[in-house]
């Protein structure tokens, strides 16, 4: 199947969002779109309306010049990539306006004998899911979590990480711990040891419903039904 004419434009939107550290939840919030709708649009499974394109362009701080030439071509030219490509666009006038993730989740490689918490959180941040974790409070002293919070949650500390704010959480994966920026009474940089993670729950978006096959047309009145193909029985004397 040949690529659709809209694919270069969708690819540009996806690339700029990634360069700015915006997952689908954060971009949907910035563009005032339902998250599930945005996911399907950027995947190319649903058409993108003009109003939605304007909202996404404002959220990503793209101008008409940034997208010039893309819809009519199957791929951007070298000049387009050099002058208007996602790297240049993300680093231009609007690049500093939105927080970016310098060290995002590493590529996930499922290892049943490795660090389960690290692999699960890598998947959650990579997919842009809401994440709920429960930590062993007895291992959190000196990690950056405020003492008042630990005094309230003496055994288990629950944290809910909304996908729309993952870029503000600024996850940093380290060999012995996960560093996050968390909001309690203020913002705190917390270094959470992997051994403290007792429970991790991911909240994925629902997949697209399967497309039902079109119904067979009803036979016209008076017409004979179409003969069925396949085997038949014959009487043998």
């Amino acid at each position: 199947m040949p690529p659709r004419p809209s694919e270069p434009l969708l690819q540009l939107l996806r690339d700029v969002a990634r360069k700015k550290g915006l997952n689908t939840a954060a971009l949907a919030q910035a563009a005032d779109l339902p998250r599930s709708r945005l996911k399907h649009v950027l995947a190319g499974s649903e058409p993108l309306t003009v109003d939605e394109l304007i909202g996404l362009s404002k959220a990503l701080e793209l101008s008409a010049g940034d997208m010039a030439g893309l819809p009519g071509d199957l791929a951007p030219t070298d000049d387009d990539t050099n002058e208007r490509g996602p790297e240049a666009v993300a680093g231009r006038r609007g690049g500093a306006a939105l927080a970016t993730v310098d060290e995002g989740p590493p590529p996930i490689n499922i290892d049943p004998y490795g660090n389960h918490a690290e692999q699960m959180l890598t998947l959650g941040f990579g997919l842009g899911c809401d994440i709920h974790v429960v930590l062993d409070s007895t291992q959190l002293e000196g990690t950056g979590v405020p003492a008042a919070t630990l005094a309230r949650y003496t055994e288990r500390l629950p944290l809910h990480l909304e996908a729309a704010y993952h870029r503000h959480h600024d996850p940093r994966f380290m060999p012995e711990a996960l560093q996050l920026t968390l909001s309690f009474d203020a913002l705190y940089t917390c270094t959470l040891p992997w051994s403290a993670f007792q429970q991790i729950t991911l909240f994925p978006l629902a997949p697209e419903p399967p497309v039902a096959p079109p119904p067979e047309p009803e036979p016209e009145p008076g017409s004979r039904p179409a003969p069925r193909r396949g085997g038949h029985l014959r009487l043998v004397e």
Side-chain angles (χ1 to χ4, degrees):
M1 180 181 295
R4 295 160 301 176
S6 62
E7 180 55 32
L9 176 60
L10 296 176
Q11 186 63 54
L12 177 65
L13 296 175
R14 294 192 295 261
D15 287 346
V16 175
R18 185 178 66 253
K19 293 294 181 181
K20 288 181 175 290
L22 296 171
N23 56 26
T24 54
L27 182 55
Q29 185 182 69
D32 194 23
L33 290 173
R35 184 181 174 192
S36 59
R37 164 68 179 162
L38 177 64
K39 177 178 178 290
H40 296 159
V41 164
L42 292 184
S45 58
E46 294 183 7
L48 174 66
T49 69
V50 174
D51 289 340
E52 290 169 339
L53 177 59
I54 292 174
L56 289 170
S57 299
K58 290 180 179 179
L60 295 172
E61 296 168 313
L62 288 169
S63 67
D66 296 326
M67 296 179 284
L70 284 177
D73 301 327
L74 294 180
T77 64
D78 293 338
D79 291 340
D80 288 332
T81 303
N82 293 333
E83 297 177 6
R84 298 187 296 268
E87 294 84 355
V89 172
R92 275 209 317 245
R93 62 190 183 284
L98 294 173
T100 60
V101 179
D102 296 328
E103 299 179 14
I108 188 168
N109 182 21
I110 300 299
D111 178 8
Y113 306 105
N115 187 332
H116 285 191
E118 181 182 19
Q119 294 178 77
M120 293 177 69
L121 288 167
T122 296
L123 181 62
F125 282 115
L127 291 175
C129 296
D130 286 1
I131 305 172
H132 183 80
V133 302
V134 177
L135 301 167
D136 178 5
S137 299
T138 63
Q139 300 186 45
L140 300 181
E141 185 175 355
T143 60
V145 177
T149 301
L150 293 179
R152 181 181 178 185
Y153 299 95
T154 57
E155 296 184 0
R156 292 157 60 93
L157 173 64
L159 296 175
H160 190 74
L161 308 175
E162 292 188 29
Y165 301 101
H166 281 349
R167 67 189 190 279
H168 300 303
H169 295 137
D170 193 17
R172 309 281 176 137
F173 288 75
M174 299 184 290
E176 301 298 330
L178 174 67
Q179 180 179 291
L180 293 173
T181 299
L182 299 175
S183 176
F184 296 102
D185 57 321
L187 293 179
Y188 294 83
T189 299
C190 302
T191 305
L192 310 172
W194 292 118
S195 58
F197 287 86
Q198 296 183 335
Q199 178 181 327
I200 301 172
T201 306
L202 306 182
F203 297 85
L205 285 178
E208 297 179 54
V211 179
E216 296 184 1
E218 295 290 336
E220 296 182 0
S223 62
R224 294 183 178 180
R228 295 185 178 182
R229 297 180 179 179
H232 58 279
L233 298 177
R234 184 179 61 180
L235 179 62
V236 178
E237 296 182 358

